[in-house]
Amino acid sequence: MNPRIGDWRGQRVWVIGASTGIGAETAKLLLERGARVALSARKLSTLQTVAPEFPKALLLPLDVTRHAEVLAARDTLLAQWQGFDLVLVVAGAYNEMRADSFDMAAVNQLIDLNLRGVFHCLDAVLPSLLAQHSGGIGIVSSAAGYSGLPKALIYGPTKAALINLCESLYVDLRPRGNAVYLINPGFVETPATAVNDFPMPGLITARRAAQEIVQGIEQGHFHIHFPKRFTNWLRLARLLPYRWYFALLHKVTGL
Ligand SMILES: NC(=O)c1ccc[n+]([C@@H]2O[C@H](COP(=O)([O-])OP(=O)(O)OC[C@H]3O[C@@H](n4cnc5c(N)ncnc54)[C@H](OP(=O)(O)O)[C@@H]3O)[C@@H](O)[C@H]2O)c1
């Protein structure tokens, strides 16, 4: 559904949300494959620890919730690279919320990061991608965006919106020569999931997640989801009539 990538050498890749977890491992893997990688997240000190063995990696601290900072980093990068071959928007956070712990401040915070932050990145890179008629954008959503899940009152909707966004983007960008990748991980071992006190089905390492992402992009897939033994169950479940879907959720989670 997208052009294949056979060789990463010299490819200009901007990974936003690259200081820990999935983004850090993906940035590292791409550097190992010979790509020119720019890493962004809020703290320069953390970015400096990701891939010290690649001193040529560009470190561009920014907060995705601050539009001006994203645009300024984009300008710095364009001045050096003159364009992008791939932009990966990985930055995001999880928040456990149920109806009886509803918290409007936390809702706003997650919308700012998981949703508005992604739109800030889009605003920054779309003009260049469109003008180039080449290069792509990948957005990390989540398998939790496929359908409503317990404890995901705000996380789920932000990720569902990103799935919808990628579908719309694909319609607009693919005919213009650009690639779009919708990336839906299941459970991945990262600082974000380290706090979970429940068994995480199909849990994989961040390195494995990075390999899945890079391989999916190399093969030109639009929908990159993993581990399939977990994500395919969720994809099947969402096709069930609601009566059965909710009964299945109750059986599996007790909620
Ligand atoms: N781990 C999972 O099981 C899982 C499953 C499905 C989807 N995901 C998604 O995968 C993405 C990465 O998650 P992860 O598990 O790898 O978590 P993580 O280790 O906490 O990584 C999150 C990254 O986003 C950056 N970030 C957070 N807030 C930011 C901000 N305001 N501006 C710029 N960067 C920011 C963080 O760096 P700083 O804090 O230094 O800024 C970090 O680099 C998220 O979108 C998450 O929803 C994760």
Side-chain angles (χ1 to χ4, degrees):
M1 291 179 70
N2 289 304
R4 285 170 176 265
I5 297 179
D7 187 356
W8 286 102
R9 280 174 299 179
Q11 299 271 337
R12 301 157 299 177
V13 186
W14 188 12
V15 185
I16 304 170
S19 63
T20 59
I22 299 170
E25 287 300 329
T26 307
K28 250 194 282 187
L29 187 56
L30 290 170
L31 283 162
E32 288 162 17
R33 301 265 171 101
R36 296 160 74 188
V37 181
L39 294 83
S40 287
R42 283 169 299 180
K43 284 186 228 86
L44 178 63
S45 55
T46 325
L47 287 171
Q48 283 165 333
T49 65
V50 174
E53 63 278 33
F54 294 97
K56 283 194 179 154
L58 292 168
L59 307 181
L60 292 172
L62 60 79
D63 182 335
V64 289
T65 67
R66 298 189 179 153
H67 192 196
E69 288 186 18
V70 181
L71 297 182
R74 182 271 321 266
D75 289 344
T76 306
L77 208 45
L78 278 182
Q80 302 221 19
W81 284 356
Q82 285 77 49
F84 308 103
D85 297 304
L86 177 64
V87 179
L88 288 176
V89 186
V90 190
Y94 175 69
N95 168 307
E96 189 176 301
M97 192 186 291
R98 299 198 71 189
D100 57 7
S101 59
F102 191 83
D103 173 352
M104 197 57 214
V107 167
N108 282 330
Q109 225 175 10
L110 216 64
I111 289 176
D112 275 348
L113 173 56
N114 287 7
L115 216 45
R116 198 167 279 118
V118 174
F119 282 101
H120 289 160
C121 297
L122 264 187
D123 183 48
V125 301
L126 268 180
S128 303
L129 290 174
L130 285 168
Q132 290 172 192
H133 297 287
S134 69
I137 179 156
I139 295 176
V140 175
S141 172
S142 167
Y146 290 138
S147 48
L149 294 173
K151 300 185 180 177
L153 213 58
I154 179 59
Y155 182 73
T158 61
K159 294 302 187 176
L162 294 183
I163 293 175
N164 191 298
L165 169 66
C166 286
E167 292 164 355
S168 291
L169 263 182
Y170 185 85
V171 173
D172 285 353
L173 291 189
R174 194 62 208 104
R176 306 280 295 257
N178 301 111
V180 179
Y181 309 96
L182 162 63
I183 301 164
N184 285 329
F187 287 111
V188 182
E189 248 177 65
T190 69
T193 50
V195 294
N196 290 349
D197 57 1
F198 54 86
M200 292 177 269
L203 183 70
I204 59 170
T205 63
R207 179 70 179 186
R208 179 80 213 132
Q211 287 163 343
E212 293 275 2
I213 291 170
V214 170
Q215 187 185 328
I217 294 171
E218 284 170 351
Q219 295 176 348
H221 295 312
F222 165 71
H223 185 198
I224 300 170
H225 60 103
F226 51 84
K228 297 219 167 35
R229 64 184 185 278
F230 177 64
T231 51
N232 277 338
W233 276 111
L234 284 177
R235 295 172 70 213
L236 257 179
R238 77 170 173 174
L239 302 176
L240 293 173
Y242 278 126
R243 185 182 299 277
W244 296 356
Y245 174 71
F246 290 127
L248 180 69
L249 264 192
H250 179 63
K251 194 172 159 49
V252 173
T253 66
L255 296 169

